[in-house]
Amino acid sequence: MIDFSVIVPTYNRLNEIEEFFSFADKLNYPKDKFELIIVDDGSQDSTIDFLHKAKNIYPSLNLKILCQKNAGPSSARNNGASVANGEYLLFADSDCLLPQNWLGEIKKELDIKKVDFFGGPDKEHPEFTAMQKAISFSMTSFFTTGGIRGGKAKNFFPRSFNMGIKKDAFLQVGGFSNLRFGEDIDLSLRLQKNGKKSRLFPNAWVYHKRRATIKQFWKQVLNSGSARINLGTLHPKTTKLVHLAPAIFTLGFGGILAGSFFCPCLLSLPLFYILLLWLSAIIRYRNPFLAVLCIITSFIQLLGYGCGFILAWVKKVLTGKSRHDLNVKNFYK
């Protein structure tokens, strides 16, 4: 049996999947010890044409190409797992770039201590655009997410952009559910309920591009906020105070703006927070323009997640239903 099956779903991301292959081909790991499984989820651009040529372009890769009608990334990952031969299934997104030592770092951690499922953090590549770096900052900064994404070694819930699961454990819980958002946390929670142990592999990080525009990023975090209500419905008592923080921030920010008409001194609170964000970004990037952009994306991250959480909660209270079927007709809107 080979060590790893790297499973990557893709949809209409020709430029990204081309760059993904250029990095995957340089993985510093025995080529006969891992396979790469790309699952096209009904792309309408030239992605499929490129994938059919990829075997000739990258002959050293042990490559499998699957095509399916558009059914969402969870279905694509499950289909990839169904033909996988690796002891461990490794999931990455097509907008990720894999460092040369990615598989080696995973193997090193597993040799130290076996674990049922695991994941690593994400970073920005030096050549990412300013927007991609700013979005990365807003998703990883202590002042936005509290550093919880890749910051805990115990009870770590990996995200699907950098997630590994022992194949028998994956099959035992039935793989990914049909949730459009939060499906990776749902899988982690089901694995945990079945007695499986997780761990953070801090050095097994990937470069993650995420969204390229403000509009796309807003949609992403809005849906992530909604997903937390879904997860709380499916897995009662799993919503923690840290998950409520963006909603509290959103309500508080709105209250401060309204109250500032009567007491302008209230604006000192968001201004102090903006200063903290700016200083943190300056220290990280040494670029004043990028630091300002980081402030903008940080507010979008918090307000978008908070709005999604609040709107989904209101809908649940009013209708008794959560948004389990979010965007199921088109998983990429």
Side-chain angles (χ1 to χ4, degrees):
M1 179 182 288
I2 62 176
D3 295 334
F4 305 117
S5 294
V6 182
I7 301 171
V8 182
T10 188
Y11 175 79
N12 285 350
R13 293 196 172 185
L14 176 61
N15 292 336
E16 289 181 353
I17 201 67
E18 288 178 332
E19 191 172 17
F20 176 91
F21 267 95
S22 69
F23 274 71
D25 190 47
K26 297 175 179 140
L27 285 169
N28 186 18
Y29 199 78
K31 293 295 192 288
D32 60 339
K33 289 296 184 178
F34 77 96
E35 63 183 352
L36 178 59
I37 303 173
I38 308 294
V39 187
D40 182 82
D41 190 28
S43 292
Q44 299 170 349
D45 61 2
S46 300
T47 298
I48 296 177
D49 294 334
F50 168 76
L51 291 176
H52 287 322
K53 299 174 184 176
K55 287 188 176 182
N56 292 327
I57 300 174
Y58 301 100
S60 65
L61 287 175
N62 182 6
L63 180 61
K64 294 180 181 177
I65 304 296
L66 302 181
C67 298
Q68 65 176 41
K69 292 183 178 180
N70 178 244
S74 291
S75 172
R77 296 184 189 109
N78 289 341
N79 280 341
S82 70
V83 301
N85 295 314
E87 180 182 3
Y88 285 89
L89 309 177
L90 305 183
F91 297 97
D93 290 342
S94 59
D95 61 353
C96 291
L97 304 175
L98 307 180
Q100 291 183 359
N101 63 342
W102 182 59
L103 292 177
E105 291 294 339
I106 292 173
K107 184 64 164 61
K108 188 186 301 182
E109 290 281 356
L110 290 172
D111 286 343
I112 294 172
K113 184 180 179 181
K114 296 288 186 181
V115 70
D116 301 302
F117 66 112
F118 54 86
D122 61 323
K123 297 183 179 182
E124 69 263 17
H125 192 277
E127 295 184 5
F128 279 5
T129 66
M131 180 60 69
Q132 288 169 337
K133 289 180 180 179
I135 290 175
S136 178
F137 173 89
S138 66
M139 295 296 287
T140 58
S141 171
F142 173 80
F143 295 109
T144 53
T145 61
I148 63 172
R149 298 174 65 92
K152 293 194 301 182
K154 294 183 179 180
N155 297 321
F156 177 64
F157 289 173
R159 268 62 173 185
S160 55
F161 63 78
N162 188 5
M163 184 180 201
I165 309 171
K166 200 167 185 179
K167 184 177 180 180
D168 57 4
F170 182 85
L171 296 176
Q172 182 180 337
V173 300
F176 286 95
S177 66
N178 199 38
L179 286 174
R180 173 59 186 96
F181 301 101
E183 75 283 1
D184 42 10
I185 302 301
D186 169 68
L187 176 56
S188 292
L189 287 167
R190 287 186 284 118
L191 285 164
Q192 188 181 71
K193 288 178 181 179
N194 276 270
K196 308 304 181 185
K197 303 298 182 181
S198 67
R199 190 155 57 89
L200 169 68
F201 291 2
N203 294 320
W205 44 268
V206 299
Y207 298 117
H208 194 190
K209 289 184 177 180
R210 292 195 172 91
R211 299 301 183 262
T213 68
I214 291 290
K215 182 179 179 180
Q216 290 173 336
F217 185 48
W218 170 265
K219 286 184 177 180
Q220 180 187 26
V221 292
L222 187 75
N223 287 323
S224 294
S226 297
R228 178 47 61 180
I229 296 296
N230 294 344
L231 291 168
T233 301
L234 292 170
H235 305 279
K237 299 181 180 180
T238 60
T239 300
K240 308 298 183 183
L241 181 61
V242 67
H243 301 129
L244 302 177
I248 296 171
F249 176 90
T250 300
L251 294 173
F253 184 69
I256 288 173
L257 290 182
S260 66
F261 287 101
F262 306 98
C263 182
C265 64
L266 289 175
L267 291 176
S268 61
L269 294 174
L271 289 176
F272 178 70
Y273 180 63
I274 288 171
L275 178 62
L276 288 177
L277 289 172
W278 189 82
L279 289 173
S280 178
I282 281 290
I283 293 171
R284 182 163 167 174
Y285 296 115
R286 311 288 182 180
N287 184 322
F289 168 76
L290 183 52
V292 172
L293 198 56
C294 288
I295 294 171
I296 296 171
T297 57
S298 294
F299 270 80
I300 289 172
Q301 192 273 333
L302 289 166
L303 295 175
Y305 189 104
C307 287
F309 186 98
I310 293 167
L311 291 173
W313 180 82
V314 170
K315 180 175 181 179
K316 181 182 176 183
V317 169
L318 294 178
T319 67
K321 298 178 181 179
S322 60
R323 302 171 67 197
H324 288 197
D325 58 345
L326 190 65
N327 288 346
V328 294
K329 292 184 179 179
N330 187 325
F331 283 84
Y332 299 93
K333 282 185 177 179

